[in-house]
């Protein structure tokens, strides 16, 4: 038998790690009653029709232009504010703890977007998003929690702050991370700002006690290889938030938006667009419309 | 040592299958095939009475090689009709199937048997991918993802969804869930990547084709090195060796039966498979690299050409009178240190009464003298 041999040099699983074409970032500023907020906006260069806004709250690393966020911006106007104190921005008077952030972001939505919005938060941002849903519920349409921090059960060992371990626990594919120009001392300062909002809190019992109050349809997305946030914490959130879905994103660590950017964007876009019908195969719902 | 009973449920009455695969099913005569099928199931059930510890079912498609395209159907019969044995599904070919469905079927077997499922996760032999039109180049990726998803199905307390490369599910919560918290897992370690997967999942390593003892020894050594990287040490119970077996009143009679069984196996049952296997091996990335393809091809060729005398000489089959079989099993265990022996008594078209006789010899004269094997090497396989 004679066959043409396969091309062994072709990678079997190519990741589109490059930047998403046809989207652009701009930086803007908003004035809140407590102080200014700098925010990044990502949207298509040539949008087709009116874009729905999508608010994204960052994690410990501040705003990063990850592949998954740019992929989301194909379909949404993605608004990514910098939490006060991060990246050298001023802290706001009276905004000291997570609960205060929950109120402050509500005011941000009112002033910048002007209508209820779908809210995504990653890690620290996911924890914050829960406080927004509790303190400013009228401004939240749907909630997306991406590996939310803040719910580490006491029986689990404390997380390591050693950079190499942290890196390994956070990212399956560190080569897919977006470029980070922040100097190391600024990165450390960002982590200190973050810790300052929740001093000594590993497990936020105050949020857990109020989870049944959350009425927003909620997507909890967890990476199957997340070394920072345990699956049992996500299962607890799923059990206590009435209208929630827990989705595991395969082969992703703590940052779904960089480890599996396309997969993450596909999931979130579908959830935002089709709401609770997103559990039904899209072929069916599209045919019915 | 544990003893597992495997029966492929082959078709006994084909004279030839021609040169191609899939084999035309006009060659299947229901008048002969249906009672023969029932006898094969009965033989599996009989294995419990013969003292076997596990009874195995496997998945093959579109040829007389095996009439069990869905092993869960037969596994369910075994689960219901037996009281003691482990029900080894060795098993569903994961890349060809819906993993949630496999999780559900295996869970049903575990519940039906009261927690006796032994969960085999198989990648399948190359030509099976043609049967369901699945890209063989995706076989490893689908395998990795399927296993993680199946484990989630079995252990997740809340409804969940899955956003993967090959599988997307938005709402999963299987009923029933298994009786066992996590069933024993069995995988084949035929290729280097499969071996890595075994080590990562703390699986029983099944060496299901045994061209030589050296091949198996090297495989075991590689497995030990990989498990060490994952921070665990396999015991004898983590190694399962497959053996074809014919036991008769005399060595001479056993050899005659075995030789005819091999002839039927090579010329009829394997018939057209080889062409399809070559196509998949050479035209796709079913295996990771050219070296693996060459190894596989050489092994197929060797297996076809090797005489029975050479197989016996190499110590890779059980063939003879009961005392001979005891000696062969003892020697093999001493060389490899395994704790599970997976025995196939139905080789090719060996007559069914001869198969049952082998099983009874195992029960009455062989198991009592070999069951203790493996205990001496409890510190680790081939230690």
């Amino acid at each position: 038998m004679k066959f043409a041999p396969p091309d062994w040099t072709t990678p079997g699983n190519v990741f589109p790690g490059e930047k998403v074409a046809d989207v652009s970032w701009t930086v803007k500023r908003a004035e809140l009653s407590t102080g200014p907020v700098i925010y990044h906006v990502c949207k298509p260069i040539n949008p087709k029709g009116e874009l729905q806004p999508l608010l994204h709250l960052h994690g410990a690393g501040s705003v990063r232009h990850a592949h998954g966020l740019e992929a989301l911006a194909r379909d949404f106007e993605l608004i990514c504010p910098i939490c006060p104190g991060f990246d050298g921005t001023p802290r706001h008077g009276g905004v000291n703890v997570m609960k205060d952030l929950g109120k402050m972001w509500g005011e941000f939505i009112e002033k910048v977007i002007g209508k209820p919005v779908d809210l995504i938060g990653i890690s620290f941002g996911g924890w914050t998003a829960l406080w927004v849903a509790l303190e400013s519920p009228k401004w939240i349409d749907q909630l997306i929690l991406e590996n939310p921090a803040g719910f580490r059960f006491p029986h689990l060992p404390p997380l390591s702050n050693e950079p190499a371990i942290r890196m390994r626990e956070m990212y399956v594919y560190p080569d897919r991370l977006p470029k980070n120009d922040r100097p190391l001392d600024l990165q450390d300062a960002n982590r200190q700002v973050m810790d300052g909002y929740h001093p000594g809190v590993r497990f936020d019992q105050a949020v857990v006690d109020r989870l049944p109050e959350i009425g927003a349809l909620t997507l909890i997305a967890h990476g199957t290889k997340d070394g920072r946030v345990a699956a049992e914490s996500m299962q607890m959130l799923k059990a206590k938030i009435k209208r929630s879905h827990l989705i595991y994103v395969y082969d992703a660590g703590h940052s779904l938006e960089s480890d599996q950017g396309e997969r993450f964007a596909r999931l979130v876009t579908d959830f935002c667009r089709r709401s609770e019908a997103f559990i039904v195969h899209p072929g069916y719902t599209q045919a019915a419309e | 040592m544990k003893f597992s009973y495997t029966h492929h449920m082959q078709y006994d009455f084909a004279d030839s299958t021609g040169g191609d695969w899939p084999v035309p099913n006009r060659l299947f005569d229901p008048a002969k095939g249906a009672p023969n099928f029932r006898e094969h199931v009965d033989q599996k059930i009989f294995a419990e009475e013969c003292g076997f510890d596990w009874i195995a079912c496997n998945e093959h498609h579109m040829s007389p090689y095996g009439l069990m395209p869905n092993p869960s159907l037969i596994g369910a019969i075994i689960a219901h009709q037996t009281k003691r044995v482990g029900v080894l599904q060795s098993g569903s070919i994961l890349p060809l199937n819906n993993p949630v469905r496999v999780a559900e079927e295996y869970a049903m077997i575990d519940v039906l048997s009261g927690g006796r499922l032994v969960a085999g996760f198989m990648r399948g032999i190359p030509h099976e991918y043609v049967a369901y039109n699945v890209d063989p180049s995706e076989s490893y990726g689908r395998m990795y993802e399927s296993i993680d998803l199946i484990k989630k199905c079995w252990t997740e307390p809340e409804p969940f969804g899955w956003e993967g490369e090959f599988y997307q599910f938005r709402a999963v919560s299987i009923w029933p869930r298994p009786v066992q918290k996590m069933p024993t897992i069995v995988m084949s370690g035929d290729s280097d990547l499969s071996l890595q997967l075994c080590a990562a999942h703390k699986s029983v390593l099944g060496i299901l084709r045994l061209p030589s003892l050296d091949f198996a020894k090297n495989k075991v050594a590689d497995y030990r090195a990989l498990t060490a990287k994952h921070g665990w040490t396999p015991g004898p119970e983590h190694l399962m060796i497959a053996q074809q077996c014919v036991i008769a009143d005399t060595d001479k009679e056993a050899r005659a039966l075995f030789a005819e069984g091999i002839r039927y196996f090579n010329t009829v049952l394997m018939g057209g498979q080889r062409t399809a296997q070559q196509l998949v091996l050479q035209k796709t990335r079913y295996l990771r690299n050219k070296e693996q393809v060459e190894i596989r091809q050489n092994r197929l060729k060797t297996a076809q050409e090797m005489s029975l005398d050479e197989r016996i000489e190499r110590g890779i089959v059980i063939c003879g009178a009961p005392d001979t079989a005891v000696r062969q099993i003892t020697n093999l265990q001493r060389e490899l240190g395994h704790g599970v022996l997976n025995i196939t008594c139905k080789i090719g078209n060996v007559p069914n009464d001869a198969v049952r006789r082998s099983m009874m010899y195992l029960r009455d004269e062989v198991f009592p003298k070999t069951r203790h094997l493996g205990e001496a090497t409890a510190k680790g396989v081939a230690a």
Side-chain angles (χ1 to χ4, degrees):
Chain A
M1 289 183 287
K2 289 183 180 177
F3 303 115
D7 179 6
W8 300 106
T9 61
T10 306
N13 182 12
V14 181
F15 174 75
E18 70 278 8
K19 293 181 79 65
V20 175
D22 303 328
V23 298
S24 67
W25 290 89
T26 53
V27 179
K28 298 185 177 181
R29 178 185 170 106
E31 297 297 334
L32 306 186
S33 61
T34 50
V37 170
I38 306 298
Y39 62 102
H40 296 218
V41 177
C42 188
K43 58 184 180 180
I45 294 167
N46 297 305
K48 294 170 185 169
E50 187 181 349
L51 293 168
Q52 287 297 314
L54 185 55
L55 180 62
H56 179 277
L57 300 183
H58 63 73
S62 193
V63 174
R64 307 286 300 271
H65 294 184
H67 182 96
L69 299 189
E70 295 187 339
L72 277 175
R74 292 174 184 135
D75 297 287
F76 300 95
E77 181 185 24
L78 191 68
I79 299 167
C80 306
I82 298 172
C83 183
F86 278 73
D87 289 345
T89 58
R91 289 288 296 260
H92 288 200
V95 180
N96 300 314
V97 293
M98 300 297 285
K99 186 175 181 179
D100 302 332
L101 286 174
K103 291 177 183 159
M104 186 205 74
W105 290 125
E107 186 189 348
F108 178 87
I109 297 167
E110 181 180 8
K111 290 196 170 159
V112 173
I113 301 171
K115 62 179 182 180
V117 68
D118 290 350
L119 170 62
I120 308 179
I122 173 174
S123 191
F124 163 69
W127 185 358
T128 311
L130 280 165
W131 274 110
V132 181
L134 290 169
E135 293 298 312
S136 307
K138 69 177 182 179
W139 295 111
I140 302 304
D141 194 355
Q142 300 180 117
L143 191 60
I144 299 113
L145 308 174
E146 181 187 352
N147 295 322
F151 305 98
R152 191 165 180 82
F153 283 103
H155 68 267
L156 297 173
L159 291 169
S160 171
N161 278 324
E162 204 277 305
I165 294 174
R166 193 169 57 215
M167 200 66 183
R168 194 169 60 238
E169 290 178 343
M170 289 187 75
Y171 305 108
V172 180
Y173 300 101
D175 54 313
R176 297 177 183 179
L177 277 166
K179 191 178 172 192
N180 190 3
D181 292 330
R182 295 174 181 87
L184 285 176
D185 57 348
L186 181 59
Q187 294 179 40
D188 287 342
N190 281 346
R191 270 188 289 275
Q192 286 172 19
V193 169
M194 179 184 71
D195 291 342
Y197 282 114
H198 50 77
V201 179
R202 267 175 32 131
F203 187 93
D204 194 339
Q205 189 64 49
V207 167
V208 172
D209 290 343
R210 295 180 59 190
L211 287 173
E213 293 176 27
I214 295 177
L217 186 68
T218 302
L219 169 65
I220 305 158
H222 185 53
T224 57
K225 294 179 180 172
D226 186 347
R228 303 294 282 186
V229 165
E232 63 184 294
S233 300
M234 304 301 97
Q235 293 157 2
M236 180 272 295
L237 293 174
K238 163 77 184 88
K240 289 182 180 293
I241 299 174
K242 282 173 290 193
R243 300 173 64 222
S244 63
H245 298 272
L246 169 57
I247 306 279
Y248 290 102
V249 178
Y250 175 66
D251 200 25
H254 192 56
S255 175
L256 309 177
E257 54 204 44
S258 71
D259 268 343
Q260 294 292 348
E262 290 293 332
R263 210 167 283 173
F264 165 78
R266 180 177 66 199
L267 172 66
V268 173
T269 301
D270 196 29
F271 176 76
C272 291
R273 279 185 168 170
R274 299 200 296 132
S275 194
E276 59 193 353
F278 97 120
I279 67 166
V280 185
H281 190 280
Y284 172 81
T285 47
Q286 283 166 5
E289 282 166 359
Chain B
M1 179 147 68
K2 279 191 167 69
F3 297 96
S4 175
Y5 182 77
T6 283
H7 190 310
H8 287 215
M9 299 189 63
Q10 54 268 61
Y11 183 65
D12 285 348
F13 310 106
D15 295 328
S16 164
T17 56
D20 286 321
W21 183 94
V23 178
N25 61 17
R26 62 180 154 74
L27 296 176
F28 179 85
D29 179 354
K32 293 177 181 174
N36 195 49
F37 192 89
R38 194 174 185 88
E39 163 61 16
H40 290 169
V41 175
D42 289 344
Q43 280 175 21
K44 282 175 178 280
I45 305 295
F46 182 56
E48 181 174 62
E49 194 180 318
C50 290
F52 283 88
D53 300 284
W54 294 350
I55 298 172
C57 300
N58 45 29
E59 174 177 338
H60 294 292
H61 294 272
M62 300 181 182
S63 89
Y65 180 87
L67 310 181
M68 199 162 28
N70 184 347
S72 293
L73 292 178
I74 306 300
I77 296 171
I78 292 167
H80 188 259
Q81 296 293 317
T82 59
K83 298 263 188 295
R84 176 187 55 81
V85 290
V87 184
L88 168 59
Q89 296 302 104
S90 60
S92 289
I93 300 174
L94 299 191
L96 301 191
N97 288 286
N98 178 333
V100 175
R101 178 68 177 220
V102 173
E104 288 178 324
E105 290 181 352
Y106 278 22
M108 288 169 67
I109 291 170
D110 201 46
V111 167
L112 189 60
S113 65
R116 290 186 280 127
L117 169 74
V118 181
F121 294 150
M122 298 294 142
R123 194 166 67 101
I125 47 182
H127 68 276
E128 311 284 11
Y129 287 77
V130 180
Y132 279 10
N133 196 31
V134 172
D135 181 356
S137 304
E138 294 177 351
S139 66
Y140 282 118
R142 287 178 178 273
M143 186 81 185
Y144 294 165
E145 189 175 336
S146 289
I147 294 171
D148 286 354
L149 176 51
I150 289 169
K151 284 183 158 182
K152 272 282 183 222
C153 288
W154 287 343
T155 55
E156 198 67 12
E158 292 291 327
F160 72 98
W162 186 267
E163 195 73 19
E165 181 178 3
F166 299 103
Y167 307 105
Q168 293 87 38
F169 296 94
R170 291 287 155 80
V172 177
S173 181
I174 68 161
W175 284 70
R177 65 185 172 91
V179 170
Q180 300 176 84
K181 199 171 179 182
M182 179 55 66
T184 297
I185 293 171
V186 175
M187 285 191 255
S188 164
D190 217 36
S191 69
D192 55 351
L193 289 181
S194 296
L195 203 62
Q196 288 175 26
L197 197 59
C198 280
H201 285 278
K202 294 192 176 178
S203 162
V204 174
L205 166 64
I207 300 182
L208 305 178
R209 298 176 194 87
L210 197 65
S212 69
L213 290 187
D214 283 344
F215 170 88
K217 282 180 185 174
N218 290 336
K219 194 66 83 178
V220 172
D222 290 347
Y223 191 49
R224 288 179 66 82
L226 286 166
T227 57
K229 283 185 185 172
H230 286 276
W232 67 285
T233 304
E237 71 277 14
H238 288 107
L239 180 58
M240 180 175 84
I241 302 294
Q243 287 273 275
Q244 294 177 315
C245 169
V246 175
I247 304 176
D249 298 346
T250 64
D251 286 358
K252 185 180 176 185
E253 186 188 357
R255 284 175 180 242
L257 288 164
F258 207 128
E260 170 55 18
I262 290 176
R263 186 204 64 76
Y264 186 83
F265 181 85
N266 278 332
T267 59
V268 178
L269 299 183
M270 286 295 286
Q273 281 189 22
R274 291 195 186 87
T275 306
Q277 291 215 28
Q278 290 301 317
L279 282 165
V280 173
L281 288 174
Q282 295 188 28
K283 293 288 278 184
T284 77
R285 295 182 67 177
Y286 171 82
L287 291 172
R288 194 167 62 113
N289 55 40
K290 288 179 185 173
E291 186 190 358
Q292 294 273 326
V293 172
E294 283 168 12
I295 291 169
R296 177 68 66 99
Q297 286 174 322
N298 287 338
R299 226 170 56 214
L300 285 170
K301 189 166 181 286
T302 304
Q304 187 185 1
E305 292 173 352
M306 198 186 300
S307 69
L308 176 59
D309 285 345
E310 195 175 353
R311 289 170 204 243
I312 294 170
E313 180 68 26
R314 286 187 176 204
I316 59 172
V317 295
I318 302 164
C319 179
D323 285 348
T324 304
V326 169
R327 198 166 55 248
Q328 290 165 335
I329 290 171
T330 303
N331 289 342
L332 184 73
Q333 203 284 330
R334 189 171 56 233
E335 291 289 334
L336 301 179
H338 51 283
V340 186
L341 186 64
N342 190 39
I343 295 172
T344 303
C345 295
K346 177 75 177 180
I347 303 153
N349 63 347
V350 167
N352 291 322
D353 58 350
V355 170
R356 284 179 178 259
R357 188 172 46 159
S358 287
M359 296 168 75
M360 288 187 282
Y361 271 133
L362 285 164
R363 176 190 64 195
D364 299 334
E365 300 193 36
V366 177
F367 289 165
K369 296 174 183 170
T370 54
R371 194 171 287 285
H372 68 283
L373 296 171
E375 292 166 10
T377 54
K379 288 180 184 171
V381 290

